[in-house]
Amino acid sequence: MREETGAMQIFTPEMLETMAYIWTRSSVSLIDVRHQSIYPEQPLRQYKMPSSTLVYAYGGTAHVQLNDTAFAMERFGLFHGGKGTLLSITPEEAALRSYMVLFKAETPPFFKKDLQRLLEQVNPFVLQFGYAPSNPVWLVYLFEQMIDNWSRTTAMNHFHTKNLFFQSMHEIYKDLEQEQPSFLQPDPVLSAKRYLDEHYMQPILFQDIADMFAISGGQLTRLFKKREGKSPQEYLTMKRLGAARYQLINTNATMREIADGCGFVDENTLFRMFKRYYNISPGDYRKKLGVMMQGYTIDNHSQRLYNKKGLDHLVKSRRDGELSMFGQARSKEMIVAAAMSLMLLLSACSTAAPTSTGSSSPAPASTQAQMTVDVETNGAEQGAQTRVVQTPQGEVEVPMNPKRVVVASIAGDLLELGITPVGVQVNGSLKDTAYADRATGITVINSFEPEEIMTFDPDLIIVDNEKKLDSMSKIAPTIFLTWDETVLTKEDRVKLLGEIFNKQKEAGQAIEKYHNKIAEAKTRLEEAGLYDSTVTVLGGTIQNPWVGGNVYGIGKLVYDTLGLTPPPAIEKDVFTLGEQWGFPSIEVLPDYCGEYIIYIGDGGDTIHGIDDFGSNEIWEAVPAVIRGNISYLPYTLAWYWDVYSTMAQIDRIVDGLIESAQG
């Protein structure tokens, strides 16, 4: 079959009739049916469709791209492409749910001349298009049924899956048959970003980009700045500077060569822009960061242990460029002492058999995963400035008293220890989090990328994503601490932080305070008679509701920590499957609604988003809705699971439930 790769935005009645005729006379085989969640921090990038593919995504706004065509999706989007089509889906805020059906249309036999001729005119199996379906809930139902039947693996179930797939295609063609189907319009901002990403090293005329979408240069700038928070020119400059940073560290190219290769007019422009954005000259940046590349040469830390305590990771690359073995050497006397100590150690080890020849094993990743922490002070007698802490990922050398800490996601644990980080990654603004009353001295981290983290000049970095360890460790000592309580409990994490910061007493007090808060909350709930009722954690909208499970997060807090009772449907369909969330359709939502509902909204102090439920007769018949037993927890507060935020959540949840009960 001849493959057509252009995106379609117009379907005439004659074309649709031809496409329907082709579908009815072609041999179509299902290859796979898939269901997954796509998160903002883990987008789907450049997925090459292995066959003709139908994709249905829902649950929020997103940028979607089919080959060179970019779309802006609102809540729902259905996309189709042929084999080899490149698909990218990037959610803007919340996670998206997605279904994917992979199918193949067989080449018609030679005697079907009419079918071959029609396929030359229009091939429905390789067309690219994206649109918002008119009946999104019905499509969710069809795709859920496809997933359910496909997973059962019997021939009868797969036969049913194929029937449902044809139903979904019929629903799609009915939409396309409308006079004005809701096609997703190409996104000028996303397309402009892609163009700049690919052509930043060349001279750019922004009006040429605007002309592609028949808009003015000023309109493109306004749209770009509204979406990205910066102008196209600033985005282009940052792209060029990022490329220049890479060249400065990884090559010995001259400033002129780097300027030419990264799109700058000359080296003077490179110097001026680099200094403006990073407060450091390109030359000084190369000197400061170049030493970090030594980690990839002779001292690459990949050699086997000599013994468990002696030579493993003995040489450390310091942030100011010096190589230190026992903390930061501040005088010639200390350097000499360190050298003599090393010589004695080597001479002693040369006559003894090594005690270990393999890499040390990491601590098991479980809640009870031997979370004891060994702290080894390096040269304390000589007044050294660093020490080694044993973390679940191995030994990390940290400052004796960290002063400039940046942290992702668990800042509240530090606040409970009396430590105010200089930088915190949050969703939105600090004022919407539990940290609002402690915001003095804290700056919000937007991207947690190396160039931004460097501006804080940190002496310790705490990440919640293990993939960040390598890049962040090149800037400052870095520790990975997860918020996932199936791996590390809150109590164990606070104990570990207490050891790292020499605040063991404060850590014990924080844990005691947390347990007292839970005990107090349980007493209040019991006195209000709420343990005799069922409670649902609910979020989303009428088109895409979700309910919380008990794996982690708010659901775990409500059901496991506070001990409240879920409705039987949640216990059966969410708890027993070990899911964090459940996604019931609106038709069965009443079964998942308990006598009290805790609604997780989008932010602020009003029940934003719950209004979408109010216009639905099924929702209005839910007993908890009739009685007004709905309390509210802002999504911006519900997202954080450190002890500081969790105690704020407990107060908000208990107050809301009791107020509803007294209502």
Side-chain angles (χ1 to χ4, degrees):
M1 294 184 189
R2 180 176 63 87
E3 295 199 357
E4 305 169 28
T5 57
M8 294 291 296
Q9 288 292 101
I10 298 176
F11 291 89
T12 64
E14 295 78 15
M15 184 186 299
L16 287 168
E17 185 66 20
T18 299
M19 291 162 62
Y21 180 90
I22 292 171
W23 271 97
T24 60
R25 285 160 177 78
S26 295
S27 175
V28 178
S29 302
L30 294 188
I31 298 174
D32 199 7
V33 183
R34 303 171 182 174
H35 184 210
Q36 69 177 102
S37 296
I38 305 173
Y39 299 92
E41 63 273 14
Q42 294 179 318
L44 181 69
R45 293 194 185 279
Q46 297 291 291
Y47 172 77
K48 190 173 184 178
M49 296 179 178
S51 64
S52 297
T53 306
L54 182 66
V55 178
Y56 184 37
Y58 66 96
T61 57
H63 303 307
V64 181
Q65 189 165 318
L66 294 172
N67 285 344
D68 294 328
T69 306
F71 304 95
M73 189 191 96
E74 299 282 344
R75 298 196 302 156
F76 303 95
L78 199 147
F79 306 92
H80 183 275
K83 180 179 179 180
T85 300
L86 295 178
L87 170 68
S88 296
I89 302 178
T90 306
E92 284 192 343
E93 295 177 354
L96 293 182
R97 305 284 285 184
S98 69
Y99 298 94
M100 183 179 291
V101 182
L102 308 179
F103 66 97
K104 179 182 179 181
E106 303 294 339
T107 302
F110 71 93
F111 56 84
K112 290 190 175 182
K113 302 290 186 182
D114 62 329
L115 191 57
Q116 293 177 357
R117 178 178 52 81
L118 292 175
L119 283 168
E120 288 296 321
Q121 298 176 16
V122 56
N123 188 335
F125 308 120
V126 299
L127 287 179
Q128 295 176 29
F129 59 85
Y131 85 103
S134 62
N135 195 347
V137 175
W138 172 242
L139 280 175
V140 170
Y141 172 77
L142 287 178
F143 280 99
E144 285 180 342
Q145 291 297 306
M146 274 190 266
I147 285 287
D148 182 61
N149 281 276
W150 186 259
S151 65
R152 297 178 189 273
T153 70
T154 68
M156 285 296 290
N157 285 113
H158 282 192
F159 182 40
H160 189 194
T161 306
K162 190 171 184 179
N163 176 47
L164 292 164
F165 171 64
F166 274 85
Q167 285 188 57
S168 68
M169 291 306 305
H170 179 254
E171 191 73 23
I172 292 166
Y173 277 34
K174 281 170 56 182
D175 278 346
L176 299 179
E177 202 174 25
Q178 298 175 10
E179 290 187 6
Q180 293 183 334
S182 300
F183 283 110
L184 299 175
Q185 298 303 312
D187 186 338
V189 174
L190 186 59
S191 297
K193 282 180 62 179
R194 188 176 189 274
Y195 184 86
L196 295 176
D197 288 345
E198 294 180 355
H199 299 88
Y200 67 87
M201 69 293 294
Q202 304 167 4
I204 300 289
L205 290 176
F206 292 105
Q207 185 57 53
D208 290 346
I209 301 176
D211 289 343
M212 299 177 189
F213 303 97
I215 60 177
S216 67
Q219 187 176 0
L220 174 63
T221 298
R222 286 193 296 274
L223 290 171
F224 201 101
K225 194 165 187 178
K226 181 178 180 181
R227 173 86 63 79
E228 299 297 321
K230 58 175 70 74
S231 68
Q233 180 61 63
E234 187 177 2
Y235 181 86
L236 175 61
T237 299
M238 294 303 297
K239 187 70 182 179
R240 288 171 170 169
L241 287 173
R245 286 200 326 272
Y246 179 86
Q247 296 296 325
L248 286 167
I249 296 175
N250 294 279
T251 73
N252 60 355
T254 66
M255 294 300 168
R256 178 184 291 275
E257 290 168 339
I258 292 175
D260 290 343
C262 298
F264 292 100
V265 176
D266 51 35
E267 60 266 40
N268 291 331
T269 304
L270 168 61
F271 182 91
R272 186 173 66 254
M273 300 307 295
F274 207 98
K275 187 81 171 177
R276 175 189 299 178
Y277 280 90
Y278 301 131
N279 296 317
I280 189 174
S281 70
D284 289 342
Y285 180 87
R286 171 176 267 173
K287 292 176 184 177
K288 184 175 183 179
L289 272 294
V291 70
M292 296 177 183
M293 297 309 295
Q294 296 174 13
Y296 296 104
T297 56
I298 190 167
D299 286 316
N300 61 6
H301 293 185
S302 63
Q303 63 269 23
R304 296 288 185 175
L305 290 173
Y306 189 79
N307 59 46
K308 287 187 176 179
K309 293 293 184 181
L311 297 181
D312 184 33
H313 291 197
L314 189 61
V315 180
K316 302 291 182 180
S317 176
R318 307 304 303 165
R319 290 174 57 228
D320 57 3
E322 69 177 335
L323 293 176
S324 171
M325 286 175 280
F326 301 108
Q328 291 178 307
R330 297 300 181 187
S331 65
K332 292 182 179 179
E333 290 79 10
M334 290 186 66
I335 296 174
V336 173
M340 291 181 66
S341 298
L342 177 59
M343 291 174 63
L344 290 171
L345 176 62
L346 290 174
S347 63
C349 291
S350 64
T351 60
T355 59
S356 174
T357 59
S359 300
S360 58
S361 300
S366 67
T367 306
Q368 306 297 328
Q370 299 176 3
M371 294 309 302
T372 57
V373 183
D374 298 326
V375 180
E376 179 183 332
T377 302
N378 281 338
E381 295 81 0
Q382 288 81 17
Q385 302 300 307
T386 64
R387 63 197 182 106
V388 172
V389 296
Q390 181 68 39
T391 74
Q393 288 71 45
E395 293 181 346
V396 179
E397 188 176 3
V398 301
M400 290 293 290
N401 294 294
K403 300 297 183 185
R404 298 186 59 80
V405 183
V406 296
V407 60
S409 157
I410 56 166
D413 289 340
L414 297 184
L415 295 176
E416 275 300 309
L417 298 181
I419 300 165
T420 301
V422 294
V424 173
Q425 187 176 34
V426 300
N427 291 328
S429 171
L430 277 172
K431 68 180 178 62
D432 297 324
T433 69
Y435 315 144
D437 59 341
R438 296 285 299 275
T440 303
I442 299 178
T443 301
V444 172
I445 299 171
N446 295 312
S447 65
F448 226 95
E449 294 299 328
E451 57 266 27
E452 183 176 7
I453 299 304
M454 284 175 60
T455 63
F456 289 91
D457 190 26
D459 55 11
L460 183 63
I461 303 171
I462 300 175
V463 297
D464 61 356
N465 184 342
E466 200 164 7
K467 295 179 181 178
K468 294 283 187 182
L469 269 175
D470 184 57
S471 60
M472 293 297 115
S473 296
K474 293 180 174 64
I475 300 172
T478 304
I479 294 172
F480 164 65
L481 291 178
T482 180
W483 41 259
D484 187 349
E485 289 198 73
T486 63
V487 176
L488 187 65
T489 67
K490 288 183 176 70
E491 292 87 346
D492 285 333
R493 191 175 61 231
V494 172
K495 289 178 184 177
L496 180 55
L497 287 168
E499 298 288 350
I500 292 170
F501 288 92
N502 279 323
K503 289 184 175 287
Q504 294 87 342
K505 179 180 178 181
E506 290 84 349
Q509 292 171 341
I511 294 170
E512 183 180 4
K513 179 180 177 182
Y514 173 62
H515 288 163
N516 289 340
K517 175 66 70 174
I518 294 171
E520 174 192 344
K522 288 182 174 180
T523 299
R524 295 180 62 200
L525 291 169
E526 185 174 9
E527 291 175 349
L530 286 161
Y531 283 116
D532 298 326
S533 305
T534 55
V535 178
T536 295
V537 176
L538 172 70
T541 63
I542 195 67
Q543 294 86 3
N544 183 31
W546 57 262
V547 294
N550 65 337
V551 178
Y552 53 78
I554 293 300
K556 184 174 182 64
L557 173 62
V558 169
Y559 299 124
D560 283 2
T561 305
L562 296 180
L564 292 166
T565 305
I570 291 180
E571 191 163 16
K572 174 178 176 292
D573 297 337
V574 185
F575 282 22
T576 57
L577 297 178
E579 298 286 349
Q580 181 189 2
W581 318 107
F583 296 88
S585 66
I586 183 60
E587 291 78 10
V588 298
L589 183 61
D591 295 338
Y592 294 80
C593 289
E595 296 163 83
Y596 292 87
I597 294 173
I598 302 169
Y599 180 76
I600 311 299
D602 293 339
D605 291 322
T606 60
I607 306 183
H608 178 64
I610 197 88
D611 293 340
D612 287 345
F613 286 90
S615 58
N616 183 278
E617 60 183 12
I618 296 177
W619 170 254
E620 291 175 340
V622 172
V625 177
I626 295 173
R627 293 192 295 267
N629 289 347
I630 302 177
S631 55
Y632 174 68
L633 185 69
Y635 182 79
T636 50
L637 179 60
W639 181 253
Y640 303 97
W641 303 325
D642 52 76
V643 293
Y644 192 83
S645 299
T646 302
M647 288 189 287
Q649 294 164 17
I650 289 173
D651 285 338
R652 186 76 177 246
I653 290 168
V654 174
D655 289 345
L657 288 173
I658 292 176
E659 184 177 343
S660 297
Q662 295 174 345

